Amino acid sequence: MSESLAGKRFLIGYALSPQKISTFMKDSLVIHARERGVDLIPIDLNKPLKEQGPFHCVIHKLYDAEWRKQLEEFSLQNPTTLVIDPANAIDKLQNRVSMLEFVKELKIENLETPLQVFISDDSSESLQDAMTREGLRFPVIAKPLIADGAANSHQMSLVLNQNGLTKLNPPIVLQEFVNHGGIIFKVYVAGDHVKCVKRKSLTDISEEKLNTSSSENLISFSRISNFAAENQSDGESFAELMEAAEMPPLSFVNEVANRMRDALKLHLFNFDMLRDSRIETRYLVIDVNYFPGYAKVPEFETMLTDFFVDVAHEDAKQ
């Protein structure tokens, strides 16, 4: 664990949406950070950023053009203030195609990404033809291309067959669905600090269900981890299933997190990872998100404050 700062206060300005402030900037975090010498200061979005401060560091999760312009101007006037993270580095994670392409380039043993295909709204190719071209088979997950944190960026569908496919309209990303025992691993990264937690996910889809004539062709949901998993067919409760699910090896999780952090040049992100039910050593990264919901992580206050203190110590060295 990082040590507290000695005497000097470290000032972090934060620019977040009201919703993000309510879910992230908890009193428990503010107090914990303050006790360690870190002051978290709200940035007034109704005033020019360059008129505010001083800050040793700025953290943010805003994507509009006006904010980007203000951030650029502020950085020019305050070159020693660390911005976490640069807007151009975050851009890669706002697109569900580019957010996974870099994972393939890491070439980590036992780590893959699912097959997927993007169909634009001006494409003459049908969704089924695009699936066939990329070797995709049902079921598939349909996701919006843009992942900018807006409500509609989380609207997804599990597509079971051709009839379900006809209810979708481009632009859209179709991603291979891999049976994974109804468990998703969410790995949170804050600089050098990494935590992996288990969450409920979509239940496995049997060949029988796919081949059975049913009115259920497409199931819409928001956020895979929020999807209510049903009890398993053998009667085992989902709570018991969660308890029994083995976590990925810590060394593997840390390697993936560290390699991702270096490749993305980002400090604050998380990734969602599945374990293939057929091959238990095979893991798939299905999503990477910037500045996620850290408050869902046990003892997130310590994790984030340790990170802030690390940043302060690095700043002091410069």
Side-chain angles (χ1 to χ4, degrees):
M1 181 181 294
S2 301
E3 296 178 357
S4 299
L5 301 172
K8 180 182 177 183
R9 308 300 298 178
F10 189 69
L11 310 179
I12 298 181
Y14 62 87
L16 305 169
S17 69
Q19 180 184 7
K20 188 68 176 176
I21 290 173
S22 68
T23 58
F24 173 75
M25 204 56 65
K26 305 283 190 182
D27 288 345
S28 58
L29 174 61
V30 174
I31 294 169
H32 197 81
R34 185 186 303 145
E35 291 174 347
R36 301 277 301 281
V38 177
D39 293 329
L40 297 167
I41 304 165
I43 290 171
D44 187 343
L45 300 182
N46 295 314
K47 292 181 182 179
L49 176 59
K50 61 185 179 182
E51 296 177 6
Q52 301 183 62
F55 305 118
H56 295 105
C57 173
V58 170
I59 61 174
H60 67 105
K61 190 178 184 180
L62 298 171
Y63 299 119
D64 60 275
E66 174 59 28
W67 169 252
R68 291 179 72 123
K69 180 182 176 183
Q70 288 201 48
L71 205 55
E72 289 173 5
E73 292 175 351
F74 178 83
S75 295
L76 287 173
Q77 291 187 355
N78 301 273
T80 61
T81 299
L82 179 63
V83 174
I84 295 177
D85 280 298
N88 59 355
I90 298 169
D91 286 346
K92 183 178 290 186
L93 299 189
Q94 293 186 55
N95 179 301
R96 283 200 166 90
V97 174
S98 62
M99 76 163 54
L100 293 186
E101 284 180 338
F102 89 96
V103 179
K104 302 174 187 175
E105 296 167 5
L106 299 178
K107 299 189 185 311
I108 297 175
E109 187 176 2
N110 297 325
L111 186 74
E112 300 179 28
T113 57
L115 294 173
Q116 66 177 30
V117 61
F118 168 64
I119 304 95
S120 64
D121 53 3
D122 60 357
S123 174
S124 60
E125 188 176 34
S126 71
L127 299 186
Q128 180 62 72
D129 286 346
M131 280 183 59
T132 301
R133 171 169 54 82
E134 292 300 320
L136 277 166
R137 299 171 56 198
F138 293 110
V140 293
I141 300 286
K143 300 181 176 183
L145 174 67
I146 303 302
D148 60 0
N152 59 357
S153 70
H154 296 298
Q155 295 303 313
M156 295 177 264
S157 300
L158 174 63
V159 188
L160 299 176
N161 51 41
Q162 175 65 42
N163 289 335
L165 209 60
T166 61
K167 299 177 183 178
L168 302 173
N169 295 306
I172 203 163
V173 173
L174 297 177
Q175 187 180 89
E176 173 189 18
F177 176 82
V178 175
N179 282 337
H180 52 282
I183 301 291
I184 188 170
F185 301 104
K186 301 184 78 70
V187 181
Y188 293 83
V189 181
D192 293 331
H193 306 276
V194 180
K195 281 199 175 183
C196 179
V197 297
K198 307 183 261 196
R199 293 285 185 265
K200 62 185 179 183
S201 181
L202 302 177
T203 53
D204 289 353
I205 306 296
S206 65
E207 289 292 333
E208 182 182 8
K209 183 169 183 177
L210 281 179
N211 297 327
T212 300
S213 177
S214 169
S215 59
E216 194 174 51
N217 305 310
L218 179 144
I219 305 168
S220 296
F221 58 94
S222 173
R223 299 180 187 267
I224 286 180
S225 58
N226 289 350
F227 190 87
E230 302 168 357
N231 287 351
Q232 304 304 295
S233 59
D234 61 3
E236 182 181 30
S237 73
F238 191 76
E240 291 171 339
L241 181 73
M242 278 282 286
E243 183 67 26
E246 184 179 349
M247 296 287 279
L250 183 59
S251 59
F252 176 72
V253 170
N254 285 334
E255 179 188 7
V256 176
N258 292 336
R259 295 274 296 277
M260 279 193 180
R261 185 191 61 236
D262 293 344
L264 290 169
K265 294 180 170 53
L266 293 174
H267 295 80
L268 300 171
F269 65 94
N270 87 320
F271 57 95
D272 294 344
M273 188 166 66
L274 311 177
R275 179 166 48 221
D276 191 335
S277 293
R278 300 165 300 176
I279 310 170
E280 292 198 348
T281 56
R282 180 183 185 234
Y283 292 88
L284 297 102
V285 173
I286 61 168
D287 245 327
V288 189
N289 308 287
Y290 185 67
F291 209 141
Y294 287 100
K296 299 174 185 175
V297 180
E299 300 180 346
F300 88 101
E301 299 93 342
T302 301
M303 179 186 187
L304 267 297
T305 300
D306 282 351
F307 165 65
F308 294 150
V309 172
D310 287 350
V311 173
H313 286 156
E314 286 300 314
D315 180 74
K317 293 178 185 177
Q318 296 179 7

